[in-house]
Each structure stands twice: as structure tokens, then as C-alpha cells.
Amino acid sequence: MNRIAVFPGSFDPFTFGHKVIVDKAISLFDYIFIAVGNNSKKNYMFSINERINRITAVYNNIENIKVISYDGLTVDFCKQKNANFIIRGLRDNADFAFETRIAMMNKKLHSDVETVFFLTSPEYSSISSTIVREIIKNGGDVSKFIPQI
Ligand code: ADP
């Protein structure tokens, strides 16, 4: 059986913190959908196309990673793609507390889906898309935090 996983997120923008999670996960799964959230109620800095294009540029030549937009429940997207795993990244206790609650709820919604957590690498533990957006808004250099395309 193929191990198909979904890595859902806003990726607004996709950072080296997100990349390290995908890079760790790809050795464990046969196929990863990087599922880019497109929630009409959220105000993104980068459009859905910009977010998808930036991630696609990073994984251009990797055939078992597909970047795709999604909306609605993550578990419904998993069912649609026959995925049994959700990938999430952890930086600290705050992420752990938040992510375990979501994982438990997803398990209740769809018992065939298991959430798998990957710890970030120490050098990326303080990167967040929120902080990157603040730096961009204030004209700072984010080249250390996001892949350049
Ligand atoms: P969401 O809006 O779904 O939280 P994000 O794009 O903020 O989307 O995050 C997607 C996932 O990536 C989450 O599991 C988050 O904890 C993880 N993540 C974000 N930044 C990092 C980082 N620096 N290192 C590891 N994981 C991270």
C-alpha cells in the first residue's frame, strides 16, 4: 500500500521551517500533497497562485511531491486523495499544545487518518510565516527565512 500524506498549511509564505518538515517527511512517505489552504475568510499576504508557485519552484523536479490548493476540512481533502496521514511541524510546546488538539479532532472526524509530527531543526525553530510577513511589510531582508525563487 502506498503511504500517501497531506501536509496542510497556509504557507503564507512557505518558509525554510516548512521546507525542513517536507524534507524530513519525504523519506517516510511515498507521496506528499502539500495542501495550500485557500480559505475565503482569511486575509493572505500572498495569493493562492503566488503561494503555490513559490512552493512548486522549490519541489519542481520531485515527482512524489505535489503542490495543490484546498479548502474545507483537511480530513475531507485526505479522503479525496486517499491519504492516511497528515503531516504537521512542531517548533515548541505551544505548537505541540495547539497541534495535538487539532490532531485529536481530525481523528474523531476521520479515524483512518493519523497525524504525524516532525520536529523542526534548531536553526529554523524561531521562523514563522507571521514574523516573515512583518519583516516583508517593514522592508526587511527575508532571504534567510524563505527559499528564494
Ligand atoms: P496553518 O495556518 O495551518 O498553521 P502554517 O503555514 O502556519 O499553516 O503552518 C503549517 C505547518 O507548518 C504547521 O504544522 C506549523 O506548525 C508548521 N510550521 C510552521 N513554521 C515551522 C517551522 N519554523 N518549523 C517547523 N514547522 C513549522
Side-chain angles (χ1 to χ4, degrees):
M1 201 178 93
N2 274 350
R3 287 160 306 174
I4 303 172
V6 168
F7 181 31
S10 306
F11 307 121
D12 187 31
F14 188 82
T15 67
F16 283 125
H18 296 126
K19 183 173 181 296
V20 78
I21 300 303
V22 176
D23 293 348
K24 287 177 190 230
I26 198 59
S27 61
L28 289 181
F29 298 104
D30 297 305
Y31 204 92
I32 296 178
F33 288 97
I34 302 180
V36 185
N38 191 18
N39 179 341
S40 56
K41 295 201 180 84
K42 273 197 181 178
N43 266 330
Y44 300 104
M45 171 177 263
F46 293 92
S47 71
I48 185 66
N49 284 341
E50 281 173 308
R51 287 179 286 140
I52 286 178
N53 290 345
R54 283 174 167 275
I55 307 171
T56 305
V58 175
Y59 295 108
N60 223 352
N61 298 315
I62 302 180
E63 61 186 25
N64 52 345
I65 296 178
K66 186 165 169 62
V67 187
I68 186 167
S69 102
Y70 90 109
D71 57 13
L73 293 176
T74 305
V75 288
D76 289 340
F77 181 77
C78 290
K79 279 184 204 165
Q80 198 187 313
K81 297 296 178 195
N82 282 322
N84 292 106
F85 302 97
I86 294 173
I87 296 167
R88 296 289 283 179
L90 298 178
R91 285 162 289 197
D92 53 21
N93 286 348
D95 274 353
F96 181 77
F98 178 73
E99 295 290 345
T100 46
R101 255 180 284 140
I102 297 175
M104 302 290 181
M105 289 306 284
N106 281 335
K107 191 74 184 168
K108 285 183 180 155
L109 289 170
H110 184 21
S111 60
D112 289 342
V113 170
E114 200 59 46
T115 300
V116 180
F117 296 121
F118 289 87
L119 276 185
T120 194
S121 296
E123 63 270 38
Y124 302 128
S125 63
S126 56
I127 301 181
S128 76
S129 294
T130 308
I131 296 174
V132 167
R133 288 197 300 275
E134 281 308 307
I135 298 171
I136 293 172
K137 278 183 203 158
N138 290 290
D141 175 11
V142 291
S143 56
K144 282 195 197 122
F145 312 124
I146 65 174
Q148 299 302 294
I149 59 167

